[in-house]
Amino acid sequence: YLNNGMVFGDTFSAGLDRWAATVNAGLDRSVGEPSAPSLKLESNGSSSSHVKAKFPSARDAVCVEFALRVKDREAGAAMPIARIQNSGTAHLARLFVKANGQLMVESSRSDKRRKVGIELQEFRWYDVEFCVTRGGPPGNISVAIDGQALLDWDTPVATQRIKELKFGGSSSAFKIRIDDVGVTLR
């Protein structure tokens, strides 16, 4: 992880107590990266499965580092992975996986989407770094996978300050695992 300014972190070894909200979320005690347990988020498409962390104070830019494992890609569905947002449901940027495994990002202000440049395989752990700088002109969204920078995108991003991190969602059927979360200042 980055060494400056950790504002939130969780390895899930103490359960889900660090999360401000949990909906249909649990622990998978059989897998984790680097070790079990990991956060288990699974939805059949008709219900939400997510966790949300609130930061101690609003931020202009953050980086979220975490281990990700896509357990099952459902045909035709985009899987919600992570959202960096203000309070409520409005996201500044979101990270999701299309049914074909293509990792994507979306900027809330421009409603534009970009391919990150990798197709995620099922049942494999990835180290993800997802960074967002709000406002502009312009804001910035960057993504690195397993230490390799794949996207550095200057794009309009909402001007609200960053207050929350959300993993999972409700838009489709998905099964993912998250572990070793760290949120730092950018």
Side-chain angles (χ1 to χ4, degrees), residues 30-107:
S30 66
V31 297
E33 180 62 31
S35 61
S38 60
L39 172 65
K40 176 174 75 172
L41 297 171
E42 297 184 357
S43 173
N44 61 13
S46 63
S47 64
S48 181
S49 179
H50 69 267
V51 295
K52 188 186 302 184
K54 295 179 184 266
F55 304 143
S57 60
R59 305 290 178 188
D60 292 322
V62 298
C63 285
V64 180
E65 296 182 54
F66 59 97
L68 168 67
R69 181 180 183 208
V70 175
K71 187 172 180 196
D72 190 14
R73 293 196 313 243
E74 298 289 332
M79 295 178 290
I81 303 297
R83 292 166 56 114
I84 295 175
Q85 57 191 40
N86 64 4
S87 59
T89 59
H91 69 276
L92 279 72
R94 72 181 184 115
L95 189 65
F96 64 99
V97 178
K98 292 176 70 174
N100 65 2
Q102 187 65 241
L103 187 62
M104 305 284 293
V105 294
E106 178 181 79
S107 166

Side-chain angles (χ1 to χ4, degrees), residues 164-176:
E164 298 176 349
L165 164 65
K166 180 179 178 180
F167 285 115
S170 61
S171 61
S172 64
F174 62 91
K175 295 178 182 176
I176 60 174

Side-chain angles (χ1 to χ4, degrees), residues 68-71 118-127 145-146:
L68 168 67
R69 181 180 183 208
V70 175
K71 187 172 180 196
I118 188 171
E119 185 176 307
L120 300 183
Q121 303 301 310
E122 294 176 321
F123 301 103
R124 179 190 182 284
W125 284 100
Y126 295 90
D127 291 323
I145 303 292
D146 294 336

